[in-house]
Amino acid sequence: MRVKKQKRHRKTVRFYTACFGFREPFKVLCDGTFIHHLLIHQLVPADHSLSNLLGGPTKLFTSHCIVSELKSLGDSYSDSLRAARELPMARCEHLGHRKSGSNCIQDIIGENNSEHFFLATQDVELRTKLREIPGVPLIYGLRNSLFLEPPSTSNRQFVKSTEEERLHVSESECKILNKKSGSNLSVIQPVEDPSNASEVMKQLVTNGKTKKKPLGVADKVQFKRKKAKGPNPLSVKKKSKACPPVPQNQVGEAGNAVKKRNRKRKSQKKSNVDENNS
């Protein structure tokens, strides 16, 4: 079960990083209830336990309104107050008049969570409100373990609608296409409904038929014919050297070549020696 939980958490983190641009180190905004829960169940150090949950380095934040709220709760939350004061403070514009922790968090998150905060809270009502805001991952604790909520239906519908908006042609893109297409083509109109984005493609196809070669594209693909080449020199046998022709007078009866010997007559040598002696 623990492996399944880790896989589910990694999948949720990948959803927010891919669709909403969350990056490491992940910023976690903690309210007073979550800080108190960490201390009671001894989930310290908190950054280590949260980094194991999210699979990456984390930075914990709180606000001045949350610190003042913990201070008003009395001595029972003195340890939580001390721990909250050690955390860095998120930008809070309630210096003159303090608000409750839940209202302060809603103001920090805003309409689209531009600071990319992971919100850690034990307040159920606050979590239900923030599920409707796109791009707000929620963390809560259950006894001595932490959980990351999967993306809500509103988050998934928001991502789906933004993807459809990216697919259809916008007004600026239509102007660029009309400039490049030329005067012979009819003007392309932007599609207001993303589901009817195929109408733009139909316009482009019908407009492309008016020209023989729109935008310099060839009608048919021209293939180069392969020319005949010579044999591979590595696969051809080497030519054998031809033997020089043998003259006929040196060929014997058996057809073998006979070497020519320079024979000198002995009689001539003896006669020469006798003449010298005399």
Side-chain angles (χ1 to χ4, degrees), residues 26-50:
F26 300 118
K27 297 189 292 185
V28 183
L29 182 61
C30 306
D31 68 343
T33 58
F34 186 77
I35 295 170
H36 188 66
H37 178 83
L38 292 176
L39 294 176
I40 289 175
H41 296 280
Q42 297 181 356
L43 296 172
V44 291
D47 55 352
H48 181 69
S49 58
L50 284 169

Side-chain angles (χ1 to χ4, degrees), residues 44-86:
V44 291
D47 55 352
H48 181 69
S49 58
L50 284 169
S51 62
N52 290 334
L53 175 67
L54 302 178
T58 58
K59 286 185 179 180
L60 277 66
F61 292 87
T62 187
S63 67
H64 293 284
C65 294
I66 293 171
V67 172
S68 62
E69 186 179 23
L70 289 172
K71 188 176 180 180
S72 63
L73 292 175
D75 296 335
S76 58
Y77 288 85
S78 59
D79 295 335
S80 302
L81 176 62
R82 194 178 304 109
R85 283 176 175 173
E86 295 178 358

Side-chain angles (χ1 to χ4, degrees), residues 168-171 173-175 177-178 181-182 184-193 196-211 214-215:
H168 84 280
V169 182
S170 61
E171 294 181 359
E173 292 173 346
C174 288
K175 291 179 181 178
L177 288 172
N178 291 325
S181 59
N184 293 331
L185 300 180
S186 60
V187 179
I188 300 170
Q189 298 295 332
V191 181
E192 296 179 356
D193 189 3
N196 296 329
S198 60
E199 294 180 2
V200 177
M201 298 304 297
K202 291 180 181 178
Q203 292 179 12
L204 291 173
V205 172
T206 53
N207 292 337
K209 292 179 180 179
T210 58
K211 281 187 176 183
L215 300 178

Side-chain angles (χ1 to χ4, degrees), residues 199-251:
E199 294 180 2
V200 177
M201 298 304 297
K202 291 180 181 178
Q203 292 179 12
L204 291 173
V205 172
T206 53
N207 292 337
K209 292 179 180 179
T210 58
K211 281 187 176 183
K212 293 182 179 180
K213 294 181 180 180
L215 300 178
V217 180
D219 294 334
K220 295 182 180 179
V221 181
Q222 296 179 357
F223 296 97
K224 292 182 179 180
R225 294 183 179 179
K226 293 183 179 180
K227 296 180 180 180
K229 297 180 180 179
N232 188 0
L234 299 176
S235 63
V236 176
K237 291 183 179 180
K238 294 182 179 180
K239 293 182 179 180
S240 59
K241 294 182 179 179
C243 297
V246 181
Q248 294 180 359
N249 57 1
Q250 295 181 6
V251 179

